[in-house]
Amino acid sequence: MEDARSPIESAGEPAAAQREAHTGKDIGGGLPLIEYWAKNTLSAKGLPVWKTLFHKSACLSCAWGTGGQKGGFTNEEGEKVQRCMKSMEAIIAELQPPVEPHFFEKHSITELQKLSSMEADRLGRLSFPAILTEGSSYYKRITWEAAYSLMAEAFRQPPERVASYSSGRSSNEAAFLLQLMMRLLGSNNLADCSDLCHRPSTTGLSATFGSGTSTVSLESLKQSDCVVLVGSNAPANHPRLMNELIKVRDRGGSILVINPIREVGLVKYGSPAFPVKSLVPGSDIANLFLQPIPGSDLALFIGIQKSLIERDLIDRDFLQANTEGWEAVVEQAQQTAWETIIKVCGIPKADIEAAAMLISQAKRVVFAWAMGITHQANGTDNVCGIANTALMTGNVGKMGAGVMPIRGHSNVQGFGSMGVKNDIKPALREALEKVVGQPLVREPGYHARSLIEAAEEGNVDTLLCLGGNLYAANPDLTQAKRALGNIETVVYVATKPNVGHFHGLGKKNTLILPVFNRFENPHKTTVESGNNFVRLNDEGKSHLADADLVPEVQLLTELAYRVHGNSPIDWRKLQDTRYVRQLIAKTVSGYEKIGEIDETKAEFTIAGRIFTHPAFKTASGKAKMQLTPLPELTVLTPGLFGQETGLVLSLITARSYRQHNTVVYKTDDKYRGMPHRECILMSPEDIKKGGLLNHQRVTVQGEAGRLENIEIISGAIRPGAALMFYPEANVLMKAVSDPKSHTPAYKRVPVLVYS
Ligand SMILES: Nc1nc2c(c(=O)[nH]1)N[C@H]1C(S)=C(S)[C@@H](COP(=O)(O)OP(=O)(O)OC[C@H]3O[C@@H](n4cnc5c(=O)[nH]c(N)nc54)[C@H](O)[C@@H]3O)O[C@H]1N2
Ligand SMILES: Nc1nc2c(c(=O)[nH]1)N[C@H]1C(S)=C(S)[C@@H](COP(=O)(O)OP(=O)(O)OC[C@H]3O[C@@H](n4cnc5c(=O)[nH]c(N)nc54)[C@H](O)[C@@H]3O)O[C@H]1N2
Ligand code: SF4
Ligand SMILES: [Mo]
């Protein structure tokens, strides 16, 4: 496959200007990765890092899901691999010394509220329970006994007024216990970070295939000859996926990248896994790089479908035999005018056709995506549009092909499997009902957004947050703070302090309860990767010698015991996680093998999820293709902000290269040439159009708030689009959500830029 001509040029956009504007690095990855490794492992402080690197447990960071059970650090194919720098960053943050013992006595909440995300994280590990009560300005240490009594009291409220939120870092065992405790209370108010993340993928894929996760295993990905990578910044957020993309190119395959930002690592990536051929010179990644208007990907996919239909390149036999509803989807693509498609996505017809050709020439295509697709007001339709394209080309249900949402947190998918969701699958509910011998509620509870709305209206009394940062992860931080402030008792179970602990305060009580992380628990735990592979984590030890920490499983079982007593579940017995795994094996479909994992140590692929034959988990066994209406992208004007002038842009809020979600590790982003976090990445064309200058300081106004003194950075981003870092930019936006998944549109935020 030949390297593509620059599609930016053919899109009529001045590639030269974009290249000139690019102030960052020339390749993604590269030597800085090795330098980081060397600095942190060869120093005097390197020993605990090495020890942790060799601990047999899954990586803390992303859901690509590398782990250590097979000896050394291995992927599910048993290949020995290196941990990426992101994995190391997460470990180093967990190996920090404890927060200084008298810190909270010396610093009032007003002072704590001034800390940035990075400063909050750098306070160190949480090592004792603390409480902030109404009228007090200081967090104070309390005993575990007092914390449990207070929580148990707080959970004795009507079930509709209690809720949980969770972030996918904890274990399957903790997740399972959390949902069981909540459901026995009679509450489905199990909001989860996936509501803010890949829920559109789960919703769209479940509707189409009857299964909400990736249909592709790592083994299968290794046989693909084309990967379509949409709305993902994998060089930063899933670095080990980059090695698979390099290998696709090495075996003569092709990569189509779709992203409004020409992320440098998606053009060329220097991987430490291939030190000689790749690390310094960099490996080519994208054969074709398309930069659509933010939020318009569905139009581009309908364009790809149309082009395939026009050239008679769709697999009608496959559609006939294995899908339902395909005629309407084909008809829709045929009926949609090219003019409309091109206008909505901003990509010229020739480039859309080139993308269609690239897909049709390949024998086995994997379609992969991340937040650029899900963080949209039509996130679920986006996912269905991708699935339709895969089905039309016969690319689901065979080795080397399929649809692959690239999951976020290291165990976010496991939380979903364990039933941490505001609605419960009937099969799981029935299985749980058998175990507990009583009916469980069927009505859906609050997801992350409806939880905030309910709290704002004063309808929530108690909230337990198992990890995460519900405050800073939400759109409209002012609303999030107000909403949390209406909840009587907010409990944060965490390993390290974050800004949510200081801003997301409950009305009467806010508790911060410290727990062990994955490599410190005194018992075995499991997690699930985005590729549907279950990992076993060995027992470990914490470096925090005198700390007053508990395992998450102990915290949840003790709380459940105090709320529910001994019946119908012997909660204290479940402090031994082997029994939790027995319950999971009995109740969670596909997880049967977890019942033997303590004896066999055999990590496994979850049954029924990887489709190597076109037999799906719908009632008919056929894929149900969904009709996907074109996105309606409103034309933005300064009037939206009550102004007459200024430059209106679609703001993408995303991660820098040195942060994990709301936790910032370093303030700069060298790869995008952004020297600090108060920057806005803009195209040279827009800078000129707005009468502005590179490095000028401007005001960025959103519908919910404003940020001042923001530095313009000129970069390779599509005109009309801009990028700022989350969570700081979350003050700007009102919550606009996809009606099907309720996930916020963080990637198309209207903003006005002016000096
Ligand atoms: N190091 C590190 N790793 C992480 C995380 C982290 O914060 N740090 N977070 C974890 C989590 S929870 C998640 S969900 C994942 C996130 O992984 P990603 O989804 O890669 O993360 P984002 O930074 O949100 O980047 C989204 C990408 O989508 C592009 N994009 C924005 N709008 C559009 C659009 O309209 N169309 C298209 N096609 N593309 C668009 C952006 O330019 C950007 O490159 O990473 C996980 N891994
Ligand atoms: N504007 C904008 N907003 C976004 C996004 C975006 O791209 N743009 N992305 C969204 C996405 S994809 C997601 S997933 C959410 C992320 O939202 P969350 O998952 O809520 O947030 P995190 O920042 O990952 O949470 C970090 C905290 O988790 C705690 N923690 C870490 N490890 C453990 C552990 O082992 N156990 C426990 N109990 N706690 C632990 C630490 O205290 C740490 O401070 O944000 C969403 N918000
Ligand atoms: S790619 Fe993800 S799972 Fe693999 S080592 Fe890096 S952060 Fe960990
Ligand atoms: Mo996420």
Side-chain angles (χ1 to χ4, degrees):
M1 173 77 47
E2 269 188 40
D3 271 10
R5 71 242 132 75
S6 165
I8 304 177
E9 267 155 358
S10 58
E13 289 163 12
Q18 290 212 5
R19 272 198 294 272
E20 207 176 280
H22 178 64
T23 46
K25 297 223 166 267
D26 294 330
I27 63 166
L31 283 176
L33 307 183
I34 299 294
E35 283 158 15
Y36 183 85
W37 258 88
K39 191 169 147 238
N40 288 290
T41 51
L42 303 179
S43 69
K45 288 187 190 151
L47 191 62
V49 178
W50 276 115
K51 267 186 164 164
T52 313
L53 286 172
F54 282 105
H55 186 256
K56 289 183 177 180
S57 56
C59 175
L60 296 176
S61 190
C62 89
W64 195 244
T66 352
Q69 202 52 230
K70 291 181 181 170
F73 203 52
T74 51
N75 63 21
E76 51 260 54
E77 288 296 282
E79 294 169 327
K80 293 266 183 293
V81 294
Q82 297 147 337
R83 278 186 197 251
C84 76
M85 179 180 139
K86 303 295 154 187
S87 179
M88 187 107 134
E89 244 170 8
I91 291 173
I92 289 167
E94 293 291 334
L95 289 175
Q96 291 182 92
V99 178
E100 197 264 304
H102 300 287
F103 179 82
F104 289 128
E105 291 160 31
K106 292 188 217 148
H107 300 276
S108 71
I109 192 70
T110 320
E111 287 173 66
L112 297 176
Q113 286 175 345
K114 292 192 185 122
L115 298 177
S116 67
S117 161
M118 191 167 92
E119 287 163 343
D121 193 66
R122 293 301 98 163
L123 293 178
R125 281 287 298 276
L126 293 164
S127 66
F128 54 85
I131 187 167
L132 181 72
T133 48
E134 195 176 14
S136 167
S137 304
Y138 293 86
Y139 267 109
K140 288 193 191 87
R141 185 169 184 156
I142 53 163
T143 62
W144 278 102
E145 182 51 39
Y148 283 128
S149 306
L150 202 146
M151 277 196 287
E153 186 59 37
F155 270 95
R156 280 189 211 108
Q157 299 297 331
E160 64 279 6
R161 298 186 65 86
V162 300
S164 69
Y165 169 76
S166 42
S167 163
R169 308 252 199 144
S170 313
S171 61
N172 284 333
E173 289 75 5
F176 186 85
L177 291 167
L178 174 70
Q179 60 90 33
L180 193 57
M181 178 186 79
M182 291 294 292
R183 294 208 158 103
L184 277 173
L185 280 173
S187 175
N188 274 332
N189 292 337
L190 285 145
D192 186 71
C193 71
S194 65
D195 299 338
L196 308 173
C197 181
H198 259 299
R199 185 138 184 184
S201 306
T202 312
T203 310
L205 294 178
S206 299
T208 310
F209 301 108
S211 174
T213 64
S214 173
T215 70
V216 185
S217 61
L218 181 61
E219 183 194 2
S220 184
L221 175 66
K222 285 177 181 296
Q223 296 180 29
S224 66
D225 59 358
C226 175
V227 174
V228 179
L229 186 71
V230 203
S232 150
N233 187 20
N237 299 322
H238 301 89
R240 295 201 39 76
L241 169 59
M242 297 310 294
N243 294 337
E244 301 307 325
L245 300 183
I246 293 171
K247 288 186 216 157
V248 171
R249 292 292 307 259
D250 282 353
R251 49 181 188 266
S254 55
I255 311 285
L256 165 60
V257 176
I258 301 174
N259 197 317
I261 302 176
R262 207 171 158 84
E263 305 279 15
V264 58
L266 296 175
V267 179
K268 226 178 216 310
Y269 186 77
S271 170
F274 312 104
V276 180
K277 81 170 179 132
S278 174
L279 183 63
V280 177
S283 302
D284 290 329
I285 303 296
N287 296 74
L288 184 62
F289 201 126
L290 301 181
Q291 289 179 276
I293 290 170
S296 74
D297 294 73
L298 179 56
L300 174 57
F301 276 95
I302 291 179
I304 292 174
Q305 294 165 13
K306 187 175 177 73
S307 172
L308 292 166
I309 297 164
E310 285 179 355
R311 286 154 199 253
D312 203 15
L313 291 172
I314 60 169
D315 190 341
R316 285 178 190 268
D317 293 343
F318 179 91
L319 290 174
Q320 189 80 52
N322 305 307
T323 69
E324 285 167 3
W326 64 274
E327 297 89 342
V329 175
V330 169
E331 161 106 11
Q332 186 204 11
Q334 277 173 322
Q335 296 301 322
T336 312
W338 272 115
E339 206 189 350
T340 314
I341 291 171
I342 295 161
K343 186 161 169 255
V344 177
C345 71
I347 304 283
K349 188 174 173 196
D351 286 337
I352 302 177
E353 285 176 332
M357 289 310 290
L358 198 125
I359 292 168
S360 75
Q361 279 164 4
K363 290 200 174 68
R364 293 171 297 275
V365 187
V366 169
F367 293 78
W369 66 90
M371 297 301 105
I373 281 299
T374 62
H375 283 168
Q376 304 290 357
N378 67 337
T380 304
D381 286 345
N382 267 345
V383 171
C384 293
I386 296 176
N388 288 344
T389 313
L391 287 163
M392 273 188 195
T393 48
N395 273 309
V396 198
K398 65 180 183 190
M399 279 304 274
V403 285
M404 188 175 91
I406 313 167
R407 296 275 166 177
H409 276 306
S410 55
N411 194 33
V412 63
Q413 198 168 294
F415 267 69
S417 298
M418 296 302 118
V420 179
K421 281 185 195 161
N422 69 314
D423 51 2
I424 182 168
K425 276 191 185 161
L428 177 61
R429 180 176 45 74
E430 284 157 24
L432 289 174
E433 283 172 346
K434 265 195 204 143
V435 168
V436 298
Q438 66 184 66
L440 299 175
V441 255
R442 295 170 184 225
E443 293 75 36
Y446 298 134
H447 48 72
R449 280 308 306 161
S450 56
L451 169 62
I452 291 292
E453 284 153 15
E456 201 179 13
E457 285 161 22
N459 293 332
V460 182
D461 291 330
T462 305
L463 172 68
L464 173 72
C465 293
L466 185 63
N469 186 351
L470 180 61
Y471 159 74
N474 259 284
D476 194 347
L477 297 183
T478 318
Q479 181 202 29
K481 189 169 188 154
R482 195 170 55 231
L484 290 163
N486 281 343
I487 303 175
E488 306 267 299
T489 302
V490 177
V491 182
Y492 292 113
V493 178
T495 57
K496 298 172 297 159
N498 64 46
V499 291
H501 304 155
F502 308 142
H503 291 272
L505 303 177
K507 195 175 184 175
K508 286 205 174 134
N509 299 304
T510 312
L511 285 112
I512 310 180
L513 304 180
V515 286
F516 291 120
N517 66 36
R518 182 169 302 158
F519 57 77
E520 297 171 331
N521 280 312
H523 44 240
K524 286 189 165 47
T525 57
T526 59
V527 294
E528 171 182 331
S529 79
N531 300 329
N532 299 304
F533 191 72
V534 176
R535 288 268 177 199
L536 180 64
N537 307 309
D538 272 1
E539 301 84 348
K541 262 191 102 167
S542 173
H543 67 290
L544 301 167
D546 305 319
D548 195 9
L549 309 189
V550 299
E552 289 172 324
V553 163
Q554 185 181 324
L555 188 153
L556 290 165
T557 46
E558 189 57 31
L559 173 60
Y561 169 73
R562 289 175 186 236
V563 177
H564 294 298
N566 252 336
S567 166
I569 299 281
D570 184 348
W571 292 98
R572 282 181 167 163
K573 186 172 162 197
L574 293 178
Q575 294 194 354
D576 182 338
T577 54
R578 283 176 304 171
Y579 296 114
V580 186
R581 287 188 279 281
Q582 298 302 329
L583 280 185
I584 296 172
K586 264 196 216 164
T587 52
V588 178
S589 162
Y591 256 82
E592 294 75 14
K593 286 190 184 162
I594 205 171
E596 299 135 35
I597 204 166
D598 287 282
E599 286 76 50
T600 61
K601 309 274 178 295
E603 299 178 315
F604 61 92
T605 297
I606 299 154
R609 298 213 189 149
I610 307 294
F611 298 125
T612 50
H613 299 283
F616 304 108
K617 277 170 74 181
T618 52
S620 62
K622 294 185 178 188
K624 285 167 108 171
M625 290 173 72
Q626 309 288 314
L627 260 185
T628 52
L630 271 190
E632 282 175 27
L633 305 181
T634 35
V635 180
L636 307 171
T637 62
L640 183 65
F641 308 91
Q643 308 259 5
E644 280 172 17
T645 55
L647 186 67
V648 186
L649 298 171
S650 295
L651 183 71
I652 294 168
T653 60
R655 293 147 181 82
S656 80
Y657 277 73
R658 299 299 295 275
Q659 72 182 83
H660 194 100
N661 295 339
T662 69
V663 179
V664 176
Y665 296 131
K666 249 189 141 223
T667 51
D668 63 336
D669 183 338
K670 288 206 175 69
Y671 293 99
R672 293 184 181 121
M674 297 164 85
H676 53 87
R677 294 190 62 86
E678 287 76 43
C679 293
I680 182 165
L681 189 77
M682 285 168 56
S683 70
E685 291 82 350
D686 282 329
I687 297 175
K688 202 167 159 209
K689 189 172 145 198
L692 302 163
L693 293 170
N694 194 11
H695 302 298
Q696 186 177 340
R697 298 279 173 159
V698 288
T699 299
V700 180
Q701 167 85 58
E703 287 176 287
R706 188 176 21 196
L707 286 167
E708 274 156 14
N709 206 20
I710 300 296
E711 181 176 349
I712 294 180
I713 301 293
S714 177
I717 183 166
R718 192 194 159 91
L723 168 121
M724 285 179 76
F725 297 136
Y726 127 81
E728 292 87 337
N730 290 29
V731 291
L732 297 171
M733 66 189 82
K734 283 261 176 240
V736 175
S737 300
D738 168 27
K740 294 183 180 164
S741 63
H742 313 288
T743 299
Y746 296 113
K747 298 289 190 272
R748 192 184 156 81
V749 177
V751 291
L752 185 73
V753 176
Y754 56 90
S755 60

